[in-house]
Amino acid sequence: MVYKDIYSLKDLRKHYNLTQLQVSNLIGISSRSYREKENGLVPFSQIEIVKLIKLFELEETDTYQLFYKDYLKSYRKVKMISISEYKKLKI
């Protein structure tokens, strides 16, 4: 990564002295949506990632660390079920 001591999108945003509201406006999403995405609760869309790469002048190799690692942590908390358990569900 080009930036020293930056390990998250939040660190990067703070490095540029930007608020979540400012970044959300720059990439065209609501501040609530940006906050959820920055905290790893919801993944960024590919278009949003491209906008952030351009905004922060990132290298594409930095995208995993900044955009996917937190989301994958939360995804691992999802309980997987078997096909037989799935068939029992009333959907």
Side-chain angles (χ1 to χ4, degrees), residues 18-29:
L18 293 170
T19 65
Q20 289 179 332
L21 178 61
Q22 289 170 317
V23 175
S24 68
N25 287 335
L26 289 167
I27 65 170
I29 62 175

Side-chain angles (χ1 to χ4, degrees), residues 27-69:
I27 65 170
I29 62 175
S30 71
S31 59
R32 178 181 177 185
S33 180
Y34 180 81
R35 182 175 55 253
E36 290 172 346
K37 293 174 184 209
E38 183 181 82
N39 290 321
L41 302 174
V42 177
F44 283 96
S45 72
Q46 291 299 314
I47 296 289
E48 293 162 350
I49 291 172
V50 168
K51 289 178 180 180
L52 289 165
I53 288 170
K54 289 180 180 181
L55 175 67
F56 294 121
E57 301 176 345
L58 298 172
E59 297 175 16
E60 287 190 47
T61 55
D62 299 326
T63 59
Y64 173 77
Q65 179 179 342
L66 294 174
F67 302 110
Y68 299 115
K69 68 177 176 59

Side-chain angles (χ1 to χ4, degrees), residues 40 69-80:
K69 68 177 176 59
D70 292 332
Y71 178 69
L72 291 174
K73 283 182 201 172
S74 65
Y75 179 76
R76 289 187 189 123
K77 295 176 186 173
V78 174
K79 180 183 180 284
M80 301 303 286

